[in-house]
Amino acid sequence: MIRTTIVIGLTMCLACGCSASKCAGDHTNAAKINIIPKPVEMTVGKGLFRIDTDTKIYAPTANTEAEQIAEYLAEMVKHRTGSGLEISRSRTSQTESNAITFHLEHRDDLGSEGYILSVRPDSILITASQPAGMFYAVQTIRQMLPEQIEDTTKEHYINLSVPCIYIKDRPVFVWRGLLLDCSRVFLEKKFLLRYIDLLALYKMNILQLHLTDDQGWRLEIKKYPELTELCSEFSDRYPDAKGGYYSQDDIKEMVEYARRRYVTVVPEIEMPGHSSSVFVAYPHLSCRGEKTEIFPFWKGPTITKDIFCAGNEDVYTFLENVLGEVVEMFDSEYIHIGGDEAPKDRWKECPKCQAMLARHNLTDEEHLQAYFTQRIEHFLNSKGRKLIGWDEILEGGLAKNAAVMSWRGTVGGIKAARMDHYVVMSPTSACYFDYDIRTTPLKETYLYNPVPAELPSDKRKFILGGQGNMWTQSAPTETAIDKHTFPRLIGLSEALWTPSELKDFDDFHNRLGAHYRRLDIMHVKYGPEK
Ligand SMILES: [Zn+2]
């Protein structure tokens, strides 16, 4: 239900008709609360707190991140109150009237991302151990405000009432991710920034960018300008296929934009397979040394046999130089190196690869890939970063500190966790948003639990979380990507945040309706649920 529009200055509460400036009436608050992901603890009270032009925001002193979150909140309501809210950095009592107070306090029970949100008729108090928790409390407030808050196209006044409530909340999993494939289809920077906002709305915190593949190299590397001059564009034989790349300034802008929304951008640089776009400019890095061309996904092999030569030292130099610039651009703890679907046909016939295999007493080409991955891991670790790769990196022996992203079901993830390696679960069965909705319905994604029942309890801590993967070969437009990703991303957000014992699909489905109205206003397209 859309709440009545009011002009600021009018003190009558249109929700119940009372004349109090801060209504304490008994509204049916519960009916208005459709928070996704569902909070861990929630007690709905009576009455409303109304944000108006006189509402003040108090941010903790001497904390830049907290101040930025206060500014984010002020900006969020600016178009709706007629003016920005005043932000005070001064110390204040936590019960100040008509105020939203942010309070940082170390509490073990909140972890690094948890928060307590206490909304009373005269004040809102947000308590968190870390700024991330404060930011998520703001997202919870955002979801309790009328969906018109999302309409940033024009200024209009709406009743910014937040139901009185007590919420204590924290996520189950630390890795709550989405992959967007920018290689198969080049995605505009603006589109990626929009997705960072959408992830933040649902308290997701990882955006993995699939930046390189056979269909194009999308990342500026200053040491190798041909990667973007030649390797980011499709062959002239496909004039309709659109290439493109992100400059290092684009990436820095995205990383900073994401940082302010508590989203970490994880780059994926594919190796040794899915790399043939590189050989357009640097053919000597493949086993055969032949120049390749870049073809649209459906115009060539799904998996290209030409991959990086594992026996050529120039390859390791090239990749270390590339990754050296990658770690300067991205601030993520993990760097994803792909590692999937690397056919060994070329390695089996390549004298350099075979010589490398013999030199290191490796039994077969799978072990050669393990050797390759270990060298890359050694380099990343030397830069203070950790390696993560698809579950194929288990074959031939897992690199010492590597984390595994399990996509071919959960077997790889279970195996890695049993070996005390960290794991992100993204099985095709529940987490592949490019799959048709009839193959992977919303309910399948919603009910997914990244911790497999068969995993021993002492190994469960190695499951970092889960990730939805949106490959773009089957959804080559922004609208199609939206329709594949939504509403499944919303289902996944609750699967990764809310304890499994609190999950209930029917209840989730009831709340989802309000989110469709919000998505409509945000011009986010969504597909069917099944
Ligand atoms: Zn080779």
mmCIF file of all heavy atoms in Angstrom, residues 68 75 209 227 281-282 289 351 501:
data_model
loop_
_atom_site.group_PDB
_atom_site.id
_atom_site.type_symbol
_atom_site.label_atom_id
_atom_site.label_comp_id
_atom_site.label_asym_id
_atom_site.label_seq_id
_atom_site.Cartn_x
_atom_site.Cartn_y
_atom_site.Cartn_z
ATOM 1 N N GLN A 68 30.787 8.729 6.683
ATOM 2 C CA GLN A 68 30.358 8.479 5.307
ATOM 3 C C GLN A 68 29.005 7.759 5.277
ATOM 4 O O GLN A 68 28.182 8.004 4.400
ATOM 5 C CB GLN A 68 31.421 7.654 4.563
ATOM 6 C CG GLN A 68 32.658 8.480 4.223
ATOM 7 C CD GLN A 68 33.808 7.645 3.670
ATOM 8 O OE1 GLN A 68 33.792 6.416 3.719
ATOM 9 N NE2 GLN A 68 34.811 8.316 3.134
ATOM 10 N N GLU A 75 21.843 11.516 2.255
ATOM 11 C CA GLU A 75 21.665 11.599 0.806
ATOM 12 C C GLU A 75 20.434 10.795 0.368
ATOM 13 O O GLU A 75 19.665 11.195 -0.505
ATOM 14 C CB GLU A 75 22.936 11.069 0.123
ATOM 15 C CG GLU A 75 22.950 11.163 -1.386
ATOM 16 C CD GLU A 75 22.994 12.600 -1.903
ATOM 17 O OE1 GLU A 75 23.499 13.471 -1.170
ATOM 18 O OE2 GLU A 75 22.507 12.836 -3.024
ATOM 19 N N LEU A 209 34.089 -9.990 -10.731
ATOM 20 C CA LEU A 209 34.037 -9.606 -12.142
ATOM 21 C C LEU A 209 34.870 -10.582 -12.954
ATOM 22 O O LEU A 209 36.081 -10.718 -12.723
ATOM 23 C CB LEU A 209 34.556 -8.178 -12.335
ATOM 24 C CG LEU A 209 33.739 -7.068 -11.676
ATOM 25 C CD1 LEU A 209 34.372 -5.710 -11.947
ATOM 26 C CD2 LEU A 209 32.282 -7.085 -12.165
ATOM 27 N N LEU A 227 46.754 -5.535 -24.735
ATOM 28 C CA LEU A 227 45.658 -6.313 -24.135
ATOM 29 C C LEU A 227 44.322 -5.595 -24.313
ATOM 30 O O LEU A 227 43.285 -6.234 -24.486
ATOM 31 C CB LEU A 227 45.916 -6.548 -22.637
ATOM 32 C CG LEU A 227 46.910 -7.668 -22.299
ATOM 33 C CD1 LEU A 227 47.184 -7.687 -20.806
ATOM 34 C CD2 LEU A 227 46.395 -9.025 -22.764
ATOM 35 N N ALA A 281 47.265 -10.767 -29.379
ATOM 36 C CA ALA A 281 48.418 -9.862 -29.359
ATOM 37 C C ALA A 281 49.717 -10.561 -28.954
ATOM 38 O O ALA A 281 50.799 -10.138 -29.350
ATOM 39 C CB ALA A 281 48.137 -8.710 -28.392
ATOM 40 N N TYR A 282 49.582 -11.596 -28.149
ATOM 41 C CA TYR A 282 50.777 -12.259 -27.613
ATOM 42 C C TYR A 282 50.727 -13.770 -27.902
ATOM 43 O O TYR A 282 50.634 -14.589 -26.981
ATOM 44 C CB TYR A 282 50.881 -12.019 -26.104
ATOM 45 C CG TYR A 282 50.841 -10.548 -25.734
ATOM 46 C CD1 TYR A 282 49.651 -9.948 -25.317
ATOM 47 C CD2 TYR A 282 51.986 -9.751 -25.835
ATOM 48 C CE1 TYR A 282 49.603 -8.594 -25.001
ATOM 49 C CE2 TYR A 282 51.939 -8.394 -25.511
ATOM 50 C CZ TYR A 282 50.746 -7.827 -25.105
ATOM 51 O OH TYR A 282 50.705 -6.497 -24.799
ATOM 52 N N GLY A 289 51.939 -21.053 -30.412
ATOM 53 C CA GLY A 289 52.442 -19.761 -30.860
ATOM 54 C C GLY A 289 51.653 -19.163 -32.008
ATOM 55 O O GLY A 289 52.151 -18.282 -32.718
ATOM 56 N N PRO A 351 56.562 -29.406 -26.556
ATOM 57 C CA PRO A 351 57.873 -29.775 -25.993
ATOM 58 C C PRO A 351 58.207 -29.000 -24.720
ATOM 59 O O PRO A 351 58.774 -29.558 -23.779
ATOM 60 C CB PRO A 351 58.857 -29.416 -27.115
ATOM 61 C CG PRO A 351 58.032 -29.302 -28.357
ATOM 62 C CD PRO A 351 56.658 -28.917 -27.937
ATOM 63 N N GLU A 501 17.445 -22.208 10.126
ATOM 64 C CA GLU A 501 16.251 -22.552 10.908
ATOM 65 C C GLU A 501 15.181 -21.454 10.858
ATOM 66 O O GLU A 501 14.020 -21.698 11.193
ATOM 67 C CB GLU A 501 16.607 -22.908 12.358
ATOM 68 C CG GLU A 501 17.288 -21.808 13.158
ATOM 69 C CD GLU A 501 18.816 -21.811 13.024
ATOM 70 O OE1 GLU A 501 19.344 -22.363 12.028
ATOM 71 O OE2 GLU A 501 19.471 -21.248 13.918
#
